Amino acid sequence: MVPVKHELVLVLDFGGQYNQLIARRVRECGVYCEVKPYTTPLEELRAMAPIGIIFTGGPNSVYLDTAPHVDPEIFTWGVPILGICYGCQLMAHSLGGEVSPAQEDTAREYGKTVTYYDTTCPLFQGIPSEGISWMSHGDYMAQVPSGFSLTAHTKMCPNAAIADMQRGFYGVQYHPEVNHTEYGMEMIRNFLYSVCHANGDWTMHDFCQSAIAAIRKKVGSGKVLLALSGGVDSSVAAALLAEAVGNQLTCVFVDHGLLRLHEGDEVEAAFSKWNLHFRRVNAETRFLGKLTGVEEPEQKRKIVGEEFIRVFEEEAKKIGAVDFLAQGTIYPDVIESGTGEAATIKSHHNVGGLPDYVDFKEILEPLRMLFKDEVRQLGRELGLPEYLVSRQPFPGPGLAIRIIGDVTKEKADILRLADFIFRDELSKSREAQNLSQFFAVLTNTRSVGVMGDGRTYDHTLALRAVTTDDFMTADWARIPYDILDCISTRIVNEVPGVNRIVYDITSKPPATIEWE
């Protein structure tokens, strides 16, 4: 929900893998934006009154009949447009230029490329005339449209960027939104402020205040029910709703016994400042019973997800009818659910339908237009503790899918303590601030060891730590050996049942970040 009117930039998606990243970059510049599929009716887009439009990249060749296109009427609106990669070629193709397949000796480019910029162009003002850009294109503009000038080039490509400054149309063959492109953020900021003349009215403080007012107006005297998982999204949604409607909100926190050490207590403590109805359901025995003998990870996910809904339904029946069922849906969920093209690598516990027997009138999704980093900012604005706001991604089935093989209370307790020691040492050494995600995995391998003068035959524990910008790809983290040595020593000495520690040095791809 976007409670008040903000300046808007539209990101028109042509199938590019970086569509969400473009939108995030725009918002990081203080300008609100939304991603819309290229098939969105033109009248709907125009009614949104954008101050600028960005065409994304995409995997197609614009000259093919099957390629996605946009009605050329969009170029008559007098609204500035920035075309990125395929979006640049689409602009050229639509306005009378020519796009052709690149030949081996011409402008096919991939990866980091030295690029030369005309800094008199508004897009490149204030940046050096030479820098690295991230290229990924097999087609090139053999002829640019009338009225356009060349504003950037590379060794292989004479038209790496084009501009029709009079009409406010700009195109770049590379991807300014990715970190690999030097000065990419400056280029996007220049488009927003120098070309679209944005004021930059998108701040989390303003969103917070206006969202609270909008929720109060919508909910009125109604009752709101929220399933609180303890993750960042549901926690921030709960805090926002609590700030808005107080004791009209009931949060049901299902503790399935598969959380990290002290996590349930931390979640409960975080909400003690608000006058709301907080119901903590301790269901460890119930969940572990359902998981007995189950080894397949997808089955674990489904069992935990379904049982979570059943417990939530039972608690909801005790509460009775409510007016709103609140969810922690965020903007990437909204964008991805609209594509219908992504392959299922692993299912998500909170996607798969609403509870069947909860008596409510309407869904309330107060975070549905926010990206993850914005959700964290909002949590800080609302006064949630940092240990919750900065919490790393944690799977819905919890430790059930960090225990390889069957799940038991003994294994969960072993993993809980070992994982705590891992996180504790990384935090104390300040190495944690260099990492994106880290956790322990209890493998289903036992090995021989020697402790004291006796032989042991105990569990092997794996440690996993990665660095990443977007979690789409990730590199294994080079934690210093002395820190790993300290972690290993502590775990073996303090955690019963573990006699061997291994460190996962596999990146994503080919691996995923989680093991299951």
Side-chain angles (χ1 to χ4, degrees):
M1 67 192 292
V2 181
V4 298
K5 181 68 176 176
H6 292 274
E7 291 178 323
L8 169 69
V9 167
L10 283 176
V11 176
L12 211 55
D13 179 20
F14 292 93
Q17 61 178 317
Y18 301 126
N19 56 0
Q20 292 186 36
L21 186 55
I22 296 170
R24 282 178 53 200
R25 295 291 184 248
V26 172
R27 291 195 188 181
E28 286 168 9
C29 291
V31 179
Y32 180 69
C33 75
E34 292 186 20
V35 179
K36 291 290 185 181
Y38 75 94
T39 53
T40 306
L42 227 56
E43 58 269 20
E44 180 181 331
L45 297 178
R46 190 164 194 175
M48 298 176 76
I51 64 169
I53 299 171
I54 299 177
F55 292 170
T56 74
N60 298 280
S61 293
V62 71
Y63 45 79
L64 298 178
D65 293 339
T66 55
H69 288 81
V70 66
D71 191 325
E73 181 194 322
I74 201 169
F75 296 105
T76 68
W77 292 354
V79 176
I81 299 175
L82 170 63
I84 295 175
C85 199
Y86 179 86
C88 173
Q89 296 169 3
L90 176 63
M91 181 186 296
H93 179 82
S94 302
L95 295 175
E98 180 185 348
V99 179
S100 304
Q103 305 301 315
E104 288 187 8
D105 59 345
T106 57
R108 179 187 293 125
E109 294 173 306
Y110 298 98
K112 294 181 178 180
T113 307
V114 177
T115 308
Y116 305 93
Y117 307 106
D118 177 359
T119 57
T120 64
C121 172
L123 209 60
F124 306 128
Q125 286 178 355
I127 71 169
S129 58
E130 178 182 335
I132 299 294
S133 70
W134 182 259
M135 293 285 188
S136 182
H137 64 96
D139 294 330
Y140 79 111
M141 292 175 287
Q143 181 178 334
V144 300
S146 175
F148 281 79
S149 58
L150 304 181
T151 56
H153 68 277
T154 69
K155 181 180 178 181
M156 297 289 291
C157 182
N159 43 24
I162 58 174
D164 182 336
M165 287 176 263
Q166 186 172 352
R167 289 189 285 179
F169 297 158
Y170 297 81
V172 294
Q173 281 282 193
Y174 52 87
H175 290 271
E177 70 274 20
V178 303
N179 287 335
H180 297 308
T181 296
E182 292 180 311
Y183 320 115
M185 276 294 285
E186 288 85 346
M187 297 172 198
I188 292 172
R189 187 175 289 108
N190 281 342
F191 175 70
L192 298 172
Y193 287 94
S194 298
V195 178
C196 301
H197 305 294
N199 293 315
D201 62 358
W202 176 249
T203 69
M204 199 44 58
H205 176 75
D206 287 343
F207 174 85
C208 182
Q209 298 306 309
S210 57
I212 289 169
I215 291 168
R216 286 174 180 163
K217 181 177 180 180
K218 186 176 184 66
V219 172
S221 59
K223 294 181 178 179
V224 184
L225 176 64
L226 171 71
L228 178 61
S229 70
V232 176
D233 301 338
S234 67
S235 296
V236 174
L240 182 61
L241 289 163
E243 194 71 29
V245 298
N247 64 8
Q248 293 167 244
L249 169 67
T250 298
C251 291
V252 176
F253 174 46
V254 180
D255 186 344
H256 48 35
L258 297 163
L259 299 173
R260 290 166 286 201
L261 194 66
H262 306 313
E263 196 164 45
D265 295 337
E266 289 174 351
V267 171
E268 189 169 0
F271 287 93
S272 61
K273 63 178 282 190
W274 283 287
N275 179 27
L276 57 84
H277 300 288
F278 189 97
R279 300 171 73 102
R280 179 173 177 177
V281 184
N282 294 307
E284 178 185 55
T285 302
R286 178 171 175 169
F287 277 83
L288 290 178
K290 292 285 185 178
L291 289 166
T292 300
V294 177
E295 298 188 4
E296 206 280 319
E298 274 300 290
Q299 192 178 355
K300 292 180 187 176
R301 289 175 181 273
K302 289 176 182 177
I303 288 171
V304 173
E306 289 173 6
E307 199 62 21
F308 183 93
I309 290 176
R310 299 289 84 80
V311 175
F312 180 62
E313 285 174 348
E314 291 169 13
E315 292 301 311
K317 287 178 183 177
K318 298 175 186 176
I319 297 166
V322 296
D323 299 283
F324 298 91
L325 177 65
Q327 297 186 152
T329 309
I330 65 174
Y331 199 35
D333 302 329
V334 175
I335 297 172
E336 290 164 5
S337 65
T339 63
E341 298 175 358
T344 299
I345 304 301
K346 56 183 77 169
S347 61
H348 294 271
H349 75 287
N350 60 345
V351 178
L354 297 168
D356 294 328
Y357 303 108
V358 177
D359 187 4
F360 66 94
K361 299 175 183 176
E362 192 173 346
I363 295 290
L364 193 61
E365 297 176 313
L367 310 180
R368 69 177 281 111
M369 300 310 293
L370 298 184
F371 286 104
K372 192 74 166 191
D373 53 336
E374 294 172 320
V375 172
R376 296 186 194 277
Q377 292 174 35
L378 178 59
R380 295 184 180 100
E381 191 72 33
L382 289 161
L384 281 172
E386 190 62 30
Y387 67 73
L388 200 157
V389 172
S390 60
R391 179 162 285 167
Q392 294 180 4
F394 189 60
L399 301 181
I401 58 165
R402 291 181 179 172
I403 297 171
I404 311 302
D406 66 315
V407 180
T408 66
K409 177 170 173 49
E410 178 194 16
K411 289 181 180 179
D413 288 341
I414 288 172
L415 180 55
R416 221 185 317 269
L417 182 54
D419 181 76
F420 171 79
I421 292 170
F422 185 30
R423 291 185 289 117
D424 184 51
E425 287 299 324
L426 289 176
S427 178
K428 288 194 298 188
S429 66
R430 299 187 181 277
E431 184 65 21
Q433 63 193 14
N434 302 322
L435 308 173
S436 304
Q437 189 173 358
F438 47 90
F439 54 88
V441 175
L442 188 64
T443 75
N444 57 355
T445 299
R446 290 177 179 266
S447 65
V448 174
V450 178
M451 301 183 98
D453 293 323
R455 174 186 182 275
T456 63
Y457 188 64
D458 282 329
H459 294 284
T460 298
L461 186 91
L463 304 178
R464 177 75 159 147
V466 299
T467 58
T468 178
D469 292 322
D470 53 17
F471 288 90
M472 295 173 65
T473 61
D475 193 17
W476 65 275
R478 276 64 170 174
I479 297 175
Y481 289 162
D482 59 333
I483 298 175
L484 287 174
D485 180 45
C486 180
I487 292 166
S488 176
T489 300
R490 273 197 65 187
I491 291 174
V492 170
N493 279 278
E494 297 178 32
V495 182
V498 175
N499 68 355
R500 189 179 300 273
I501 311 295
V502 297
Y503 186 54
D504 184 347
I505 59 168
T506 320
S507 294
K508 175 187 178 181
T512 55
I513 295 176
E514 294 284 350
W515 274 39
E516 288 192 343

